């Protein structure tokens, strides 16, 4: 059994026809009878642009139909969980009878763990509200020289990170040892791909490791990378890094830390003491300069500094003396 924070949660989207027919509670009852707990539910209106964004990975004809259907009225979003953490697998066992009962295209669901993360962030955005984190991004040897749209994977990672409010605070190229490669293959443990995934990481010309920092960095990088298997990424998440640069389940272009503990261990292994030199300082804008705050922010940025966190406060006399 998994701890609460490790449990996978998936999304089920009920299309407007089901909502209009009042089938929501009937479906919830059916799910709960199968021991799938509904952790959250809400009605939502998706306009055409939002619907198109959510269904962008579907084949053109199916995408257009789903977009038109979803934007006709209110949808209902259900967040599902199972005590043992296998909610996706259990739902898939119910998929055929539910489709037969309610019709194809009447609902959509997260199909794997990566889609669970994507769908939760789409309907319940939370990553920008998380504390500042660090995560490890490793570009695998098989993708070091690859380009897409004239850009290397390293360049695209940095651009994607910047657009998500993340900053590269460490970077180094290295040929990984067996121990280091195995550390980065936790996601493959217990699968037939485990040995192959470690072997890929040890190839020449080595890897490029980058530390990304910012709010929700771990989840943001995972969403940018896409599903673990590059083939799945090409079908279900065609704009992600693994879809653009990966070829299969092990040569999938990029590694991303799974969680905070994993990120800490991986960063410590690939950036030992003395290899990462990042300093932080505090800047206090005094009351008589608050009117120039925007100009000060701009000046700080143009000097190459990154503002990780800021807040406005009123200092007591005692605090000011400190």
């Amino acid at each position: 059994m998994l701890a609460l924070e490790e449990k996978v949660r998936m999304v089920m989207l009920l299309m407007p026809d089901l909502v209009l027919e009042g089938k929501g509670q009937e479906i919830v009852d059916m799910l709960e009878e199968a021991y799938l707990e509904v952790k959250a539910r809400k009605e939502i209106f998706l306009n055409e642009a939002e619907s198109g964004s959510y269904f962008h990975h579907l084949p053109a004809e199916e995408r257009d139909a789903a977009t038109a259907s979803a934007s006709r009225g209110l949808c209902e979003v259900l967040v599902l969980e199972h005590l043992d953490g296998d909610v996706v697998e259990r739902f898939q066992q119910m998929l055929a009878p539910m489709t037969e009962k309610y019709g194809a295209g009447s609902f959509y669901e997260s199909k794997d763990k990566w889609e669970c993360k994507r769908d939760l962030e789409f309907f319940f955005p939370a990553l920008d509200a998380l504390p500042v984190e660090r995560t490890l991004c490793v570009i695998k040897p098989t993708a070091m020289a690859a380009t897409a749209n004239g850009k290397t994977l390293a360049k695209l990672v940095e651009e994607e990170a910047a657009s998500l409010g993340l900053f590269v605070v460490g970077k180094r190229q290295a040929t990984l040892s067996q121990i280091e490669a195995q550390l980065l293959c936790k996601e493959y443990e217990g699968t037939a791909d485990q040995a192959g995934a470690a072997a890929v990481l040890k190839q020449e010309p080595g890897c490029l490791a980058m530390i990304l920092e910012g709010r929700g960095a771990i989840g943001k990088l995972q969403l940018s990378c896409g599903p673990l298997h590059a083939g799945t990424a090409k079908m279900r998440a065609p704009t992600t890094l693994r879809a653009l640069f990966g070829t299969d389940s092990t040569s999938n272009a990029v590694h991303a830390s799974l969680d905070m503990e994993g990120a800490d261990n991986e960063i410590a292994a690939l950036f030992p003491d003395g290899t990462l030199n990042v300093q932080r300082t505090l800047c206090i804008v005094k009351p008589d300069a608050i009117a120039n705050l925007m100009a000060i922010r701009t000046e700080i940025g143009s000097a190459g500094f990154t503002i990780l966190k800021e807040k406005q406060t009123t200092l007591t006399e005692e605090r000011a003396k400190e």
Side-chain angles (χ1 to χ4, degrees):
M1 190 177 297
L2 299 178
L4 179 62
E5 64 270 19
E6 296 174 322
K7 290 177 185 170
V8 175
R9 290 181 174 178
M10 65 167 283
V11 166
M12 181 181 186
L13 178 67
L14 308 184
M15 300 293 271
D17 287 347
L18 284 183
V19 176
L20 187 62
E21 294 169 9
K23 298 294 186 181
Q25 189 58 49
E26 177 180 298
I27 290 173
V28 167
D29 292 342
M30 184 184 305
L31 294 168
E32 291 183 339
E33 285 177 7
Y35 301 103
L36 300 186
E37 186 178 356
V38 178
K39 304 298 294 186
R41 59 187 296 190
K42 69 175 180 179
E43 290 187 339
I44 185 172
F45 176 75
L46 297 175
N47 60 35
E48 190 170 342
E50 292 166 335
S51 298
S53 175
Y54 182 68
F55 295 115
H56 77 279
H57 59 280
L58 297 177
E61 188 174 341
E62 186 179 352
R63 179 180 65 243
D64 292 343
T67 299
S69 177
S71 57
R72 278 204 299 264
L74 286 175
C75 296
E76 185 167 6
V77 182
L78 307 178
V79 178
L80 310 179
E81 179 184 279
H82 188 269
L83 192 62
D84 292 333
D86 56 352
V87 62
V88 175
E89 293 80 3
R90 288 177 180 269
F91 187 91
Q92 287 301 310
Q93 295 173 8
M94 303 175 63
L95 185 59
M98 290 188 71
T99 301
E100 183 178 354
K101 182 172 183 177
Y102 296 110
S106 61
F107 62 87
Y108 290 84
E109 78 287 344
S110 310
K111 297 188 183 301
D112 58 34
K113 290 182 179 180
W114 181 84
E115 287 194 16
C116 291
K117 296 172 184 177
R118 179 202 64 186
D119 295 349
L120 284 169
E121 182 64 16
F122 187 91
F123 292 111
F124 300 90
L127 292 177
D128 281 332
L130 292 179
V132 172
E133 304 170 335
R134 282 186 175 181
T135 189
L136 182 71
C137 174
V138 176
I139 296 175
K140 298 186 178 184
T142 49
M144 286 288 285
T147 61
N149 301 320
K151 297 180 181 179
T152 64
L153 177 51
K155 180 64 174 177
L156 284 179
V157 168
E158 293 187 11
E159 290 181 353
E160 181 79 2
S163 71
L164 295 171
L166 305 180
F167 307 96
V168 179
V169 297
K171 183 193 297 187
R172 67 184 289 254
Q173 190 164 343
T175 300
L176 302 187
S177 67
Q178 179 67 20
I179 293 176
E180 291 168 336
Q182 288 178 336
L183 180 64
L184 301 185
C185 292
K186 296 291 186 183
E187 203 165 2
Y188 294 94
E189 283 186 351
T191 72
D193 287 329
Q194 186 173 0
V200 166
L201 286 165
K202 293 167 57 183
Q203 293 178 9
E204 294 295 341
C207 300
L208 179 64
M210 292 185 281
I211 301 174
L212 305 184
E213 183 176 81
R215 292 185 179 276
I218 295 170
K220 288 178 178 178
L221 179 59
Q222 289 174 353
L223 292 181
S224 296
C225 288
L228 186 64
H229 197 300
T232 303
K234 293 177 189 297
M235 290 188 296
R236 303 289 300 176
T239 61
T240 59
L241 299 175
R242 286 173 176 152
L244 294 172
F245 290 91
T247 56
D248 55 37
S249 59
T250 57
S251 296
N252 57 354
V254 61
H255 163 81
S257 302
L258 286 176
D259 51 38
M260 195 170 295
E261 181 182 4
D264 289 344
N265 292 337
E266 292 165 5
I267 290 171
L270 270 64
F271 290 84
D273 291 343
T275 61
L276 183 62
N277 184 23
V278 177
Q279 296 180 337
R280 291 178 177 175
T281 189
L282 176 68
C283 173
I284 297 177
V285 179
K286 297 181 178 180
D288 57 359
I290 286 294
N292 299 314
L293 183 59
M294 291 301 296
I296 292 172
R297 280 202 197 99
T298 302
E299 188 69 20
I300 290 172
S302 64
F305 293 97
T306 297
I307 300 174
L308 295 176
K309 191 173 183 180
E310 64 176 283
K311 71 173 184 177
Q312 290 193 358
T313 186
T314 300
L315 300 181
T316 64
E317 184 174 352
E318 182 179 347
R319 191 70 170 167
K321 288 179 179 179
E322 292 178 358

